[in-house]
Structures are given as C-alpha cells and as structure tokens.
Amino acid sequence: MDMPASPDGDIAQLLAIMARLRDPDGGCPWDLEQDFSTIAPYTVEEAYEVADAIDRDDLPALKDELGDLLLQVVFHAQMAQEQGAFAFGDVVEAICDKMVRRHPHVFGPSTGSGQAASFADAEAQTVNWEAIKAAERKAAGEEDTSALAGVSRGLPEWQRAVKLQSRAARVGFDWPDTAPVIDKLHEEIDEVRVELAAAPSPERDARLEDEIGDLLFVAANLARHAKVDVGGALRRANLKFERRFRAMEAIAAAEGTTMSALSLAQQEALWGRVKQGEGM
C-alpha cells in the first residue's frame, strides 16, 4: 500500500504508516510482536538520543531524533487503539487539556479566556504547577498526600534522586547551601572506606551498596544545590573520558604499542599527556 505524500508534515501520514506496520494482514512481523513493555526501553532510549543531540548542538540530528521519539508516541497509541483503550487523538486532547489547566496565568480559567493568575517569577509558577498536579492526583482518587507523591519510579535513579530532594526542600527539609552538603559527601566517603576495609561477606556487600548509594545520593544533592544538571554533568564527564581514552589509544598506536601492553603507570602518564594537550 502506498503511503500518501504529506509535504506539510501531516501527522496523519505517520499514523497511517504505524497502522500499516501493525496490520496483521501484511504488516511487519517485528512490529506486530511488540507490546508496551517491549517498546518502553526504546522510548527511553530515544529520549536520551534527543538529549544527546541537544548536548551536541546538532540541530539536524535533533530533527531526526525528535522524529524517532514521536514514532514512539505513535507506536504506543496504535497499540492502545488496537485494545480499544485510547487513540493518538486522545493523547493529543489530554495533553492540550493538561497544558491549559496547568497554565491559568496564560490561558485563564478552564474556559481558556482571560488571565486568572500571575506569578512573580518561574519559581512561584512552579509552586503553583505542583499544587495543580496535587489537585489532579486527589481528583483522580490518589490518597498519597506526601510531599513526595507523584515522583515516578520509572525515572532514571539520578533524576529521581534530584526530584525527591527538590520535593523535600519545598517543605524546608534541605541544607541552606553547598557547604554542609560537601561535609556530608566527605562523611559518606569515609563510610564507604570503612566498608571497603571490612572482610568481604554478603552482609558487608549489602552495607557497601548502601553506603555507595548514599554517596551517589549526596553527590546528586550537591549538583542540585550548585544548580548543575546531574545528567548533563555526567554526559559531559562520559564524553570527556571517551575523548581522552581514544586519544590515549591513538598515541599508543602511533608509538607502536597498545594500551593493554602498557603498565598502569605508563597509562596514567599517557592520560596526563592527553590532558596537557587539551590544556586542562
């Protein structure tokens, strides 16, 4: 079946393509085998690809990655439609309703007319946003009234840590600045050292995991206080390590050897040469 041309980027063409891929009569075997749980990892991966394109300031790649992410939304909506649960149009309607409802300072009351509220700054607007979300959860019958309610367990754990910390901070459970966070970070490092020095055992391994978890949690808290995005910082650290390690491999090859043939001291010296070459 030929897909209709859509020079204006009409979403109908993408919906038609997805429906054809999922058609039991001549559709794609791989697409037909998928369900929500098998597609979910791809959805998460595509979101990270979008973030990577933004991090690299690569707008052509961003266009492609946003398309891949949109396909994930269409895929989930198609599967839901097949089950009679909802369709893509329902997804669009739901998010439009939500955006209007959560921006009363822009669209006014639920009628969408006038301006019902104003906020001094983005922080005040965020507080109102969270209040609206809490009201939505209550209206939906959720009984969890904790300040931590609604923090998804499906988030990457570093992101969930920051959200939990931010929610607790809204009710005053927070350090005033970075100094006590750094003190706590040193405390957690010392506790990790204690467990590393202990005799290996299943109990010690469990304690070590707990202490390293605490260390990572406090590191995320430090980034939050410093207004540094944890994911972005870690992405940059990964890219820096990859760049430097590949440079080390190139130097080793140019000198007629390999990384695995060098001692750790020689490798560290090579790392120093690469850092110096970067001017860092």
Side-chain angles (χ1 to χ4, degrees), residues 8-9 24 35 53 59 110 114 119 129 168 175 206 229-230 244 257 264:
D8 60 351
D35 57 30
L59 293 183
S110 58
F119 304 103
W129 174 280
W175 282 299
D229 177 70
V230 180
R244 290 177 177 176
T257 186
L264 179 57

Side-chain angles (χ1 to χ4, degrees), residues 2 5 50 71-72 80 83 102 109 115 118 124 138 160 167 185 224 226 229 238 247 279:
D2 293 333
V50 167
L71 177 63
Q72 297 300 306
Q83 297 180 18
R102 292 184 179 179
Q115 184 164 330
S118 61
K138 183 176 181 181
R160 189 162 190 268
R167 289 289 190 86
L185 194 62
R224 180 180 65 86
D229 177 70
N238 287 339

Side-chain angles (χ1 to χ4, degrees), residues 116-181:
S118 61
F119 304 103
D121 51 33
E123 184 176 354
Q125 192 273 324
T126 300
V127 171
N128 185 71
W129 174 280
E130 292 298 336
I132 293 173
K133 288 174 65 177
E136 290 172 354
R137 290 194 296 270
K138 183 176 181 181
E142 294 185 23
E143 298 179 355
D144 188 354
T145 60
S146 169
L148 305 181
V151 179
S152 173
R153 295 182 181 274
L155 291 170
E157 295 302 336
W158 63 263
Q159 189 174 0
R160 189 162 190 268
V162 172
K163 280 188 173 290
L164 290 170
Q165 293 160 3
S166 297
R167 289 289 190 86
R170 288 181 191 150
V171 296
F173 190 67
D174 196 14
W175 282 299
D177 52 46
T178 58
V181 187

Side-chain angles (χ1 to χ4, degrees), residues 17-146:
I17 291 172
M18 192 69 253
R20 183 72 181 91
L21 290 171
R22 290 279 297 181
D23 188 346
D25 183 16
C28 172
W30 185 90
D31 289 274
L32 286 165
E33 288 181 357
Q34 306 311 309
D35 57 30
F36 295 115
S37 62
T38 61
I39 290 299
Y42 295 100
T43 307
V44 173
E45 180 180 345
E46 295 302 345
Y48 277 109
E49 294 291 345
V50 167
D52 178 61
I54 293 170
D55 193 56
R56 292 183 285 108
D57 194 24
D58 188 338
L59 293 183
L62 178 59
K63 178 193 68 174
D64 289 343
E65 298 302 344
L66 286 172
D68 291 343
L69 185 58
L70 177 58
L71 177 63
Q72 297 300 306
V73 177
V74 169
F75 206 139
H76 286 288
Q78 174 64 32
M79 292 187 291
Q81 182 174 351
E82 292 165 4
Q83 297 180 18
F86 58 82
F88 181 80
D90 300 309
V91 175
V92 174
E93 182 179 5
I95 189 59
C96 288
D97 289 346
K98 183 185 294 183
M99 289 298 99
V100 171
R101 185 172 65 250
R102 292 184 179 179
H103 292 83
H105 54 298
V106 176
F107 301 104
S110 58
T111 59
S113 60
Q115 184 164 330
S118 61
F119 304 103
D121 51 33
E123 184 176 354
Q125 192 273 324
T126 300
V127 171
N128 185 71
W129 174 280
E130 292 298 336
I132 293 173
K133 288 174 65 177
E136 290 172 354
R137 290 194 296 270
K138 183 176 181 181
E142 294 185 23
E143 298 179 355
D144 188 354
T145 60
S146 169

